[in-house]
Amino acid sequence: MRPIIPDYLAEVLSGVEPDTSGALADYIPQLAAADPERLGAAFAMLDGAVYGAGDIDIEFTIQSISKPFIYALALSDRGFGPVLAKVGVEPSGEAFNEISLESDTGRPLNPMINAGAITAHSLAGAEGLAPADRVERVVDGLSAFAGRRLTVDESVCASEMEHAHRNLAIAHMLRSHDILTEDPRAVVDGYTRQCSVLVTTRDLAMMAATLANRGTNPLSGEQVVSETVVRQVLSVMFSCGMYDAAGDWATQVGIPAKSGVAGGLIGALPGQIGMATFSPRLDRHGNSVRGVSLFERFSSDMGLHVMEVPATGRAVVRSHHVVGSGPNALRVLELQGGIGFAGAERAIQEAMAIPPGDIRVALDLTRVHAIDDVARRVLLEVARRLTLTGHEVYLIDPESVMPDPDPGDGGRITVVDTVEYADLQATEAAQGQGG
Ligand code: GLN
């Protein structure tokens, strides 16, 4: 069988290929020399599989796509408090290189515009690192996200530094507000190196997949940053990743994303996929023209918008019945699927309807494959309240999907593997009482 996804990607690429609108970024002379016809797209799945079509192994500079990853490193290395004190999370609706800071605090509005990204760069690594060591931390961190060793394109870096007046102006302004506490030039130099790291479309898809995969790189298995950091980063990408086109993007594409002026674009759909495209001509916001069209297609063809309401899953309560009769009768509440808050609420409703005289109650999780934390707490509270009202509660959980099944505070649960075993226990108890 011919593989389906690369065929799909090739077809979508040929659809956007005729569009030669937009222009190369020319404020960095080396970028103006890029081949404008390059075009590639890659998908990285969370098990490490990569699908691609077009120029997916050509290297180009990461530019602003580094911003969410360095923000992630800063949050990891310094903690949320110190980073949030210096960089906000509000969409600016402004161009990426706007010279603007929050009026009362002097903080950059968010880490996706240059002011915030330059500040985030200064917060990567331990406090007091020398600029060169910080660059090393940044390149190491980006490499861990990609799952391979990345390098800096010195010529693009030098070319940008020669014309970095605007970023220097931003950095000096940050220094005047004490948001930066060191030499502004050294920070801009480090930030420019960060932007000059070379990546391929394949690398970018894998970096996005690391975010989609709760911070664990699908290839290396390395947990690069924590889940909490990932949630913060994806939220900011969603609201600010596409600069002044963020609202259009959020409604039409609906995937946390980030663009770079060399023509790269990434999207990370939590729990599903990392995507990347490469096409160097940019629109007036500085986002790749063909990249934006590609993502619009991916999102609509595959229903990838994060606000898309998922098809209703199977009912969480599979059945509710009584096994046996008399004092040994066992009321079984059989649950199924993955249980989140709404599913747990269904279980509460069923449990409330259990007649007080039905002493023995089993929550059967045999067909449950996952329970999230809130559902776990709700089900344990159901068990606790049932115990307090005189019920004997069994948890049928042969695969231990419920971690630490302790209802606490007056609750009692007997964990068994099968309904039969719960039955047997009752019989033994009855016999014990008889003897
Ligand atoms: N290095 C570029 C800059 O700071 C990155 C901008 C971008 O990719 N949008 O201007």
Side-chain angles (χ1 to χ4, degrees):
M1 184 182 104
R2 276 180 61 82
I4 295 172
I5 297 174
D7 281 358
Y8 164 75
L9 287 173
E11 183 214 306
V12 183
L13 287 188
S14 63
V16 302
E17 202 166 5
D19 185 354
T20 56
S21 63
L24 294 174
D26 56 6
Y27 74 103
I28 303 174
Q30 279 282 321
L31 292 185
D35 175 358
E37 294 311 327
R38 291 282 185 207
L39 180 61
F43 288 173
M45 310 313 294
L46 307 191
D47 65 356
V50 175
Y51 301 101
D55 300 319
I56 65 164
D57 292 310
I58 298 288
E59 289 190 318
F60 52 94
T61 52
I62 188 168
Q63 299 298 341
S64 285
I65 303 172
S66 62
K67 291 172 180 173
F69 298 100
I70 301 317
Y71 182 51
L73 297 181
L75 289 167
S76 280
D77 293 345
R78 302 286 180 96
F80 278 61
V83 174
L84 288 170
K86 293 203 161 179
V87 189
V89 289
E90 297 306 329
S92 66
E94 287 171 347
F96 68 88
N97 57 1
E98 194 61 36
I99 304 191
S100 71
L101 299 179
E102 215 170 58
S103 53
D104 48 342
T105 61
R107 283 187 316 176
L109 288 159
N110 68 66
M112 300 295 120
I113 54 172
N114 287 9
I118 291 169
T119 309
H121 176 87
S122 79
L123 294 169
E127 212 178 329
L129 270 190
D133 295 332
R134 185 177 305 129
V135 169
E136 200 177 309
R137 163 66 181 140
V138 159
V139 178
D140 284 351
L142 291 172
S143 302
F145 275 109
R148 84 169 174 106
R149 190 73 218 153
L150 302 176
T151 56
V152 172
D153 185 323
E154 295 295 340
S155 68
V156 171
C157 181
S159 158
E160 180 166 1
M161 264 322 274
E162 272 176 41
H163 302 267
H165 307 299
R166 201 172 173 97
N167 284 339
L168 285 165
I170 291 172
H172 279 285
M173 197 177 58
L174 290 165
R175 180 69 190 86
S176 79
H177 283 87
D178 279 331
I179 298 287
L180 291 184
T181 49
E182 52 197 287
D183 173 22
R185 193 171 181 92
V187 180
V188 171
D189 185 76
Y191 162 78
T192 307
R193 277 176 187 278
Q194 162 191 325
C195 290
S196 305
V197 164
L198 286 165
V199 287
T200 64
T201 310
R202 181 192 297 276
D203 292 327
L204 288 179
M206 195 53 72
M207 295 172 83
T210 302
L211 293 177
N213 193 34
R214 305 167 190 245
T216 298
N217 180 287
L219 282 183
S220 67
E222 183 187 347
Q223 174 95 44
V224 184
V225 291
S226 72
E227 282 189 54
T228 331
V229 165
V230 167
R231 193 180 71 177
Q232 177 80 5
V233 170
L234 289 174
S235 305
V236 172
M237 285 168 71
F238 194 72
S239 54
C240 316
M242 302 299 277
Y243 313 117
D244 39 346
D248 264 346
W249 181 269
T251 49
Q252 283 168 37
V253 179
I255 299 171
K258 189 72 203 76
S259 62
V261 286
L265 183 52
I266 62 167
L269 197 66
Q272 292 207 53
I273 184 175
M275 291 173 272
T277 60
F278 174 45
S279 170
R281 287 193 203 87
L282 310 178
D283 64 17
R284 65 193 166 86
H285 307 289
N287 299 328
S288 162
V289 173
R290 296 195 289 197
V292 170
S293 305
L294 288 168
F295 269 86
E296 284 172 356
R297 275 236 24 209
F298 297 155
S299 173
S300 72
D301 288 354
M302 296 181 283
L304 297 180
H305 197 296
V306 282
M307 299 303 173
E308 193 101 19
V309 180
T312 324
R314 292 233 209 111
V316 160
V317 179
R318 180 178 168 89
S319 76
H320 188 166
H321 56 274
V322 177
V323 190
S325 59
N328 275 356
L330 180 68
R331 187 170 270 278
V332 181
L333 190 52
E334 193 186 357
L335 307 180
Q336 67 181 358
I339 310 186
F341 173 73
E345 184 277 339
R346 287 289 320 141
I348 298 178
Q349 287 196 35
E350 293 290 324
M352 303 266 295
I354 296 174
D358 288 11
I359 300 300
R360 305 178 60 242
V361 176
L363 296 176
D364 185 353
L365 305 184
T366 310
R367 290 173 185 266
V368 170
H369 61 77
I371 295 186
D372 71 15
D373 188 54
V374 60
R376 172 183 167 275
R377 284 181 285 136
V378 167
L379 292 180
L380 289 175
E381 183 62 10
V382 164
R384 191 178 77 86
R385 294 191 183 203
L386 285 171
T387 324
L388 292 178
T389 47
H391 297 274
E392 252 169 57
V393 183
Y394 294 87
L395 190 71
I396 305 170
D397 189 12
E399 284 173 28
S400 306
V401 290
M402 169 87 84
D404 189 19
D406 175 9
D409 249 356
R412 242 178 66 96
I413 284 189
T414 307
V415 183
V416 295
D417 278 354
T418 60
V419 174
E420 291 71 33
Y421 193 65
D423 259 349
L424 188 67
Q425 289 220 329
T427 320
E428 278 169 358
Q431 280 167 355
Q433 270 162 23

